[in-house]
Structures are given as structure tokens and as C-alpha cells.
Amino acid sequence: MPEFRQNRATKNWVIVATERARRPHDFLVHEEMATLPEFDPKCPFCPGNEDMTPPEIYRIVCDSKWSVRVVPNKFSALVPDAELRREMKFQFFRKVAGYGFHYVIIETPIHNLTIATMSEEQVCDIFKTYLKLYKDLMSNPNINVAIIFRNNGKKAGTSLEHPHSQLIASPIVPTHIRHLLEEATRYYDDHGSCVFCDMISIEEYVMERVVYRDDDFLVIEPFASISPFETWILPRKHNACFGNISEEEACRTAKVVRLVLKQLYDKLNNPDYNYVIHSSPFKDANEEFYHWYIQILPRLTIPAGFELGSGIYITTALPEETAKFLKIN
Amino acid sequence: MPEFRQNRATKNWVIVATERARRPHDFLVHEEMATLPEFDPKCPFCPGNEDMTPPEIYRIVCDSKWSVRVVPNKFSALVPDAELRREMKFQFFRKVAGYGFHYVIIETPIHNLTIATMSEEQVCDIFKTYLKLYKDLMSNPNINVAIIFRNNGKKAGTSLEHPHSQLIASPIVPTHIRHLLEEATRYYDDHGSCVFCDMISIEEYVMERVVYRDDDFLVIEPFASISPFETWILPRKHNACFGNISEEEACRTAKVVRLVLKQLYDKLNNPDYNYVIHSSPFKDANEEFYHWYIQILPRLTIPAGFELGSGIYITTALPEETAKFLKIN
């Protein structure tokens, strides 16, 4: 029997479509992995081509070479030289100048790696960079929210092969995030606790959807996963905002992210995926009701008209089964 | 300069990314159109193979042959024989049995057509079928919402080539739709008018994003289009619910939908797309604040990590330009 399930944190319903259910191994990617060179002379992110990117904002150096570089996106979605200006046309159409920041984090000098195949130290450098950028943006009074994300593979919307992630910082708090905060506040009102903290303790008690756990993190396939192998990395320590963590905590996060992505890489044959660091807007950084976490979404299925019309995702895998399949011992 | 724009009806923000803007003709699909046969002996939706589908629910007959057939989806996301049962596990995980209906509307006996290449009469039959199913479901006290949608092409999530659309009817009103109703109610509170009715009159006054208009419909590229060539077909007559319209109005809707899809087909070389009929839940069918409409979303770009994290879509085309490009005289 199919069932509706609700994610208590996002309040989104999904349909677990058992009638069309597929087993975890049915999601194995059968495309051959592209064999890329370690260095591509035409790639703007490869060493030696530093002048092909906009001027560098930050770098981490190791053995007198760069390990991670941050540059503005050449085709920025938001730009720092826009005026902060709201406008209402015909008393109906609301627009705001596209002020903000759009960074590319070039994750390694080596063209053909991905997080799953990088060293722990390298991924640590990436997450330390995320944190540094995030903290800097928090001191900008015109910026209210920052989203860090990674698009891995064509189905996940990437256009450049060289390993990179992105950060977009915006003055506007998206409606979507406001809804999430409202739902979390309501849960806090009703229960006096953070919905994410409760999710961690209940998922760990039940142990049906746990992929990995250690002293700092619980990794689960959410009860109401929106698509097969959706994975959440939840830090145990309550904290609304990613920018509040320490450098050491960033490194510990990096290790778990690498471990989980390596498992996905090995078990599903390098699936395309997005990950995103969900975090509170800056002004809510110390709230009791919200909790930062990382969502990994392999792109194994295509959301279609029903998702567009209803916001309800139909998933064809049971999170209890994908968790078992993915389990890291 | 990039800009944020807000859709006043959905309240969603988008970023119009002028730095990476592409001209309308850059979105032309270059893949060769598959040449399909008129009849495929293995296709479960082709005439003669009626016993390959679950038992038929409805058909329209023309010249003693069927013109449109409705059957339950073989892999139904929701099923009518589920008990209506809510459950809460560990006082945290909420689930509801997957009660509901999931129909496939087989749109024509001919295997290789699409709405753009069908006759007006054929598309009328499809929309009359939608309406008939919708009205029947409205009399079911356990169903609260019905979504009619069409997935055209692989990028839009279809798996069967034979022209078809789908209907999913659910007891649960999705959170997403509840948010839309709340925003529309708030607009009505503030302005004493339906936000969609206002959008129609203001868009027609401005005439910058109008693709087509006649006595009954206004077709626009929304001011805050979530992706290139998003198109809304708005009926002029205020009506919250698709199920309230007459058979004659359904036929007029069919003609406009066909006209717009034919234009997209001709101008962009048969792009993959989804369309969805947005309508109020049944209990709000006579509300002043909501308005049914059809959203067409060509799948020309891939939403990625930023969209996942923020709910803000980055679009690389100006709706004013795509409207000009698509204009139907």
C-alpha cells in the first residue's frame, strides 16, 4: 500500500509509492564514468589558468601552492555593485536590485577529483573555506542569508567539470526559508524543543533509517525522503546557523560529508547529486527552534508535473531500505 | 544588472540573472525529434492493446472508436482501496494511508501525436474528459484536491511515449497549496480583490509579457517566471476551481492550450515540458480569493542546489523577451 508521510521539520508531505517501488540496487547508475584528465589546459579552474577567472577573493595555501581558491562567479546571479533598491511598478510588480555575492569555491587544483575521491585534508580545506566565507558575510549588514551548495554532474545542473561548489549570499530571505522557520517555530511552541534535535533522538532510538553515527553527527535517510537516497547529515549539537561552528567542527563536518559521499559513489556508481547547507538567516543565528544541517539529494529521478502542481514528491524507494543499503559501519 | 522579482500570487522570489542572460532563440532545442510510428504494437496505450491496461474507467467514443480513454495508472501513486487512516509513530512520524485516485488519460489512439499536433476536436475531447473526471471527484467526500498534469518528454519525467496526461486526487491538501491559498487570502484582505484578476488586468494594461489574448483568456510569461518560457494561461472569468467551468469553457480552454503548445513546438522545436492545472481545493471552490489557471513549464534548464536550498529560481531569460518571441498574433 502506498502511504503519505510528512517530514515534521519541513512539514512537506511525500507519497511513498510502493506500487512502483524499486529496490535500492535498481538505482545503480549504469552510465560509464567519464575518464577525465588530472589537468585540462582549457579549464579555467586548473592551475596556471588563474587569470581566466575573476580576481581571487581568498585562497588556502599548502606547500606554497593553492589548495582551495574562491573567486566571484563569472556569470554572477547577484552582484555586489548593485544598489540596494526596492521598486514597485504599477503598484503590483515588486522588484529589488540583484545585490549580493556569488562565489565559486574551486575545491582542488586537480581536475578529475570529486569529494568522494579527495583526501580528508582536502575536504577539510573546503569546509574551512565555507566557514571563513560564511563568517565574513555575517558581518555584512546588508546580507541576511547565505546558501552554500554543490552541483555534481550534469543532471544536477553543473556545467563545469572541475570540482567546485558555490555560495550565494542575498539580502532577501526567501519565502521558502521563511516557511521553514515558521514551521520550526510552531513546533517549538507546541513541544518546547527543536524539531531537528527531536528528530535526531527519535531516529537514533528507532534506528531504522540511520546510515551513520558518531559522537558529533547522525546521518539518516529522512522518514519522508523526497526522492530515493535523499540523505541528511545532522549535527548533534544544537545550533541554528552554520556560521556559528568552530573551525574544528567544520573539519569534522567535512569528514562526515566525505564519508557519506564516498559511500554513495561506491554503492551507486557516482550518481549526480546536489548538496546544500541549510542554515538559519543571520538574524536567527542563535534561535532555539532552528538547526543547521546538510541535505544531499542524488538526482536519480525527475520531479514532474505532479510535484510542480502539489509540492508533494512521489518517491519510489523506501528510506528504511536505502538506509540499510547505504549503511556505513 | 540582475534583479530579484516577486510573483505576487505565489509570493516566490526569482533572480533574473542578466549577467548570464541568453536570448530567446538560444533556448531552441537541437536534439532531433524522434520519428515515432503512428501505431506501436507493443504500446499498452495503442488501440488493440486495451487489455494491457487496468480496466477502463471512462472513454469518449467517436465514429464507434475510442477517441480518449481513462484508466487507473498501472503503478498508482495512490489507490482507492486503502483505508483512510492516520497514524503517528513514536509521537513524531506522521503517516496517512495512500488513499486516492491516480488516472491516466490516454489522449488519442494515435501513438505519435502530441497536443501541438492534434486537431482542435481531439484536444477538446481531452479537456472534456479532464472536466468530467474532476466533477466526479468533487462529489467524493474523501477527496479534497485533484491535480491534472502532463509530462511531455524525458526531461519532463515521462516514461511512455504515447500521448497521455494524468490526474492524481488526494484526501490531503498539500502544504504547498495551503501556502498559496494563504498568500492569496492575504492579498484579498489587503486589496479586496483576487490577485489573479488583478494580474490579468495589469498585465493587459502593460502589455509587455502578453503572448496571446482573446475574449476568454490572457496568456503571459509571468513577471517572475521561474524558468525560461514559463507560461501561464489565465481565464478572465473569476473562478477558483477548474471543476466549476462548463463543457463549453473546457473546449475553449483546450483551444488556447493547443495554440500555445503549438507555438512552443514551432518556435523552440518541440521542447520537453510539464503543464499543470492549478485549482483550489474542493472546499474552496467558490472563494473570491483564488483563481484556477494553467502553468506550462518547458524543461530547458535544470534547477540545482541553490533552488533546493532557497526555493528561489535563477532564470536566464527575460520574460519580456520570451513573450515577444512567442507572441501569437
Side-chain angles (χ1 to χ4, degrees):
Chain A
M1 278 292 165
E3 61 190 32
F4 289 95
R5 294 182 173 196
Q6 189 174 43
N7 185 315
R8 289 300 295 276
T10 64
K11 280 285 190 170
N12 285 330
W13 290 97
V14 302
I15 296 173
V16 184
T18 50
E19 315 291 302
R20 50 169 85 176
R22 295 154 68 192
R23 308 308 306 259
H25 60 255
D26 293 337
F27 292 98
L28 196 78
V29 176
H30 291 294
E31 284 153 50
E32 238 173 280
M33 262 189 248
T35 41
L36 299 174
E38 272 187 42
F39 170 77
D40 175 351
K42 282 187 212 143
C43 169
F45 296 168
C46 271
N49 295 341
E50 285 78 2
D51 56 354
M52 289 170 71
T53 65
E56 186 174 301
I57 282 162
Y58 179 72
R59 66 162 63 186
I60 290 187
V61 176
C62 180
D63 294 337
S64 76
K65 286 183 224 152
W66 62 266
S67 153
V68 174
R69 287 180 79 216
V70 180
V71 297
N73 193 310
K74 199 169 182 177
F75 306 100
S76 280
L78 300 174
V79 295
D81 52 340
E83 263 180 275
L84 272 171
R85 193 167 32 81
R86 285 177 82 88
E87 220 183 304
M88 185 80 121
K89 288 178 91 173
F90 301 100
Q91 299 187 322
F92 191 80
F93 301 115
R94 188 173 284 155
K95 61 176 171 176
V96 173
Y99 169 82
F101 298 90
H102 188 170
Y103 298 146
V104 175
I105 296 100
I106 306 170
E107 296 169 339
T108 162
I110 302 171
H111 187 75
N112 63 355
L113 291 179
T114 183
I115 303 246
T117 54
M118 289 178 201
S119 69
E120 270 191 5
E121 294 68 37
Q122 189 66 39
V123 187
C124 264
D125 279 354
I126 299 168
F127 274 74
K128 282 197 271 186
T129 306
Y130 289 168
L131 185 61
K132 149 86 181 144
L133 297 172
Y134 209 97
K135 281 188 193 287
D136 284 355
L137 288 163
M138 284 178 84
S139 67
N140 180 332
N142 294 321
I143 293 294
N144 290 309
V145 71
I147 315 267
I148 293 167
F149 59 99
R150 187 174 205 275
N151 304 334
N152 190 89
K154 278 200 181 142
K155 281 181 204 141
T158 199
S159 46
L160 282 166
E161 289 154 349
H162 195 112
H164 68 285
S165 31
Q166 298 176 69
L167 183 156
I168 294 183
S170 149
I172 285 180
V173 177
T175 317
H176 171 70
I177 292 181
R178 227 173 46 205
H179 286 315
L180 292 176
L181 293 170
E182 278 163 16
E183 297 300 353
T185 313
R186 213 164 283 168
Y187 185 94
Y188 192 86
D189 279 348
D190 289 346
H191 300 85
S193 50
C194 160
V195 63
F196 296 91
C197 288
D198 282 4
M199 189 183 286
I200 292 166
S201 51
I202 298 168
E203 284 289 8
E204 195 162 21
Y205 173 74
V206 180
M207 280 303 282
E208 281 184 352
R209 286 170 291 274
V210 173
V211 170
Y212 173 77
R213 57 176 172 160
D214 62 20
D215 289 347
D216 304 304
F217 294 93
L218 190 77
V219 180
I220 57 163
E221 308 284 283
F223 171 72
S225 292
I226 64 171
S227 62
F229 291 96
E230 181 186 3
T231 304
W232 284 20
I233 299 176
L234 290 153
R236 289 183 190 273
K237 186 169 157 188
H238 178 85
N239 202 339
C241 183
F242 176 71
N244 287 342
I245 71 174
S246 68
E247 207 169 81
E248 204 215 321
E249 286 169 322
C251 271
R252 273 184 261 151
T253 308
K255 283 182 198 174
V256 178
V257 169
R258 178 178 166 277
L259 195 64
V260 173
L261 289 175
K262 191 171 165 1
Q263 185 75 342
L264 278 166
Y265 182 95
D266 291 342
K267 289 281 201 164
L268 293 177
N269 194 27
N270 191 23
D272 290 350
Y273 66 81
N274 303 104
Y275 73 58
V276 58
I277 303 183
H278 291 274
S279 175
S280 74
F282 297 164
K283 73 170 174 42
D284 302 308
N286 297 309
E287 288 292 356
E288 286 303 313
F289 57 78
Y290 204 67
H291 198 114
W292 78 271
Y293 66 102
I294 297 175
Q295 177 190 24
I296 302 172
L297 200 72
R299 301 289 286 255
L300 301 164
T301 55
I302 295 176
F306 182 66
E307 283 80 358
L308 186 64
S310 69
I312 293 183
Y313 282 73
I314 300 174
T315 180
T316 49
L318 275 170
E320 293 73 19
E321 287 186 4
T322 58
K324 209 178 283 171
F325 182 81
L326 219 56
K327 199 162 183 75
I328 301 170
N329 295 311
Chain B
M1 278 290 165
E3 60 190 34
F4 290 96
R5 294 181 175 198
Q6 189 175 42
N7 185 315
R8 288 301 295 276
T10 64
K11 282 283 191 171
N12 285 330
W13 291 97
V14 302
I15 296 173
V16 184
T18 50
E19 315 290 303
R20 51 170 85 176
R22 294 155 68 191
R23 308 308 306 260
H25 59 256
D26 294 337
F27 292 98
L28 195 78
V29 177
H30 290 293
E31 284 153 50
E32 238 173 281
M33 263 189 247
T35 43
L36 299 172
E38 274 187 42
F39 170 77
D40 175 352
K42 283 187 210 144
C43 168
F45 297 167
C46 271
N49 294 340
E50 286 78 2
D51 57 353
M52 288 170 72
T53 64
E56 185 173 301
I57 282 163
Y58 180 73
R59 67 163 61 186
I60 290 187
V61 175
C62 178
D63 295 337
S64 76
K65 286 182 224 152
W66 61 265
S67 152
V68 173
R69 287 181 79 216
V70 180
V71 297
N73 193 310
K74 200 168 181 176
F75 306 99
S76 280
L78 299 174
V79 295
D81 51 341
E83 263 181 275
L84 272 172
R85 195 166 30 83
R86 286 177 80 88
E87 219 183 304
M88 185 78 121
K89 288 179 91 171
F90 302 99
Q91 299 187 323
F92 190 81
F93 300 114
R94 188 172 284 155
K95 60 176 172 176
V96 173
Y99 170 82
F101 299 90
H102 188 169
Y103 298 145
V104 175
I105 298 101
I106 306 170
E107 296 170 340
T108 162
I110 301 171
H111 187 74
N112 63 355
L113 291 179
T114 183
I115 303 249
T117 55
M118 290 178 200
S119 70
E120 270 190 6
E121 294 67 38
Q122 188 67 38
V123 187
C124 265
D125 278 355
I126 298 168
F127 274 74
K128 281 198 272 189
T129 305
Y130 289 169
L131 185 61
K132 149 87 180 143
L133 297 172
Y134 209 98
K135 281 188 193 287
D136 284 355
L137 287 163
M138 284 177 83
S139 67
N140 181 331
N142 294 321
I143 293 295
N144 290 309
V145 71
I147 315 267
I148 293 167
F149 59 98
R150 185 173 206 276
N151 304 333
N152 190 87
K154 276 198 183 145
K155 283 181 204 140
T158 199
S159 47
L160 282 165
E161 289 154 349
H162 195 111
H164 67 286
S165 31
Q166 298 177 69
L167 184 155
I168 294 183
S170 148
I172 285 181
V173 177
T175 317
H176 172 70
I177 292 180
R178 227 172 47 204
H179 286 314
L180 292 176
L181 294 170
E182 279 163 15
E183 297 299 352
T185 314
R186 213 164 284 169
Y187 185 95
Y188 192 86
D189 279 348
D190 289 345
H191 300 84
S193 51
C194 161
V195 63
F196 296 91
C197 288
D198 282 4
M199 189 183 285
I200 291 165
S201 51
I202 297 169
E203 284 289 9
E204 196 164 20
Y205 173 74
V206 181
M207 280 304 281
E208 281 184 351
R209 286 170 291 273
V210 173
V211 170
Y212 173 77
R213 57 176 172 161
D214 63 20
D215 289 347
D216 305 303
F217 294 93
L218 190 76
V219 180
I220 57 164
E221 307 284 283
F223 172 72
S225 292
I226 64 171
S227 62
F229 291 95
E230 180 186 3
T231 303
W232 284 20
I233 298 175
L234 290 154
R236 289 182 191 274
K237 187 169 156 189
H238 178 84
N239 202 339
C241 183
F242 175 73
N244 287 342
I245 71 174
S246 68
E247 206 170 82
E248 204 215 322
E249 287 169 322
C251 271
R252 273 185 261 152
T253 308
K255 282 182 198 174
V256 178
V257 169
R258 178 178 167 277
L259 196 64
V260 174
L261 289 176
K262 191 171 166 356
Q263 185 76 341
L264 278 166
Y265 183 94
D266 291 342
K267 290 281 202 164
L268 293 177
N269 194 26
N270 192 21
D272 291 351
Y273 66 82
N274 303 103
Y275 73 59
V276 59
I277 303 182
H278 291 273
S279 175
S280 73
F282 298 163
K283 74 171 172 45
D284 302 308
N286 296 310
E287 287 293 354
E288 286 304 312
F289 58 79
Y290 203 67
H291 199 114
W292 78 272
Y293 67 101
I294 297 176
Q295 178 190 24
I296 302 172
L297 199 72
R299 300 291 285 254
L300 301 164
T301 55
I302 295 175
F306 181 66
E307 283 79 359
L308 186 65
S310 69
I312 292 183
Y313 281 72
I314 300 173
T315 179
T316 49
L318 276 169
E320 293 74 20
E321 288 186 3
T322 57
K324 208 178 283 172
F325 181 83
L326 219 55
K327 198 161 186 75
I328 301 169
N329 295 309

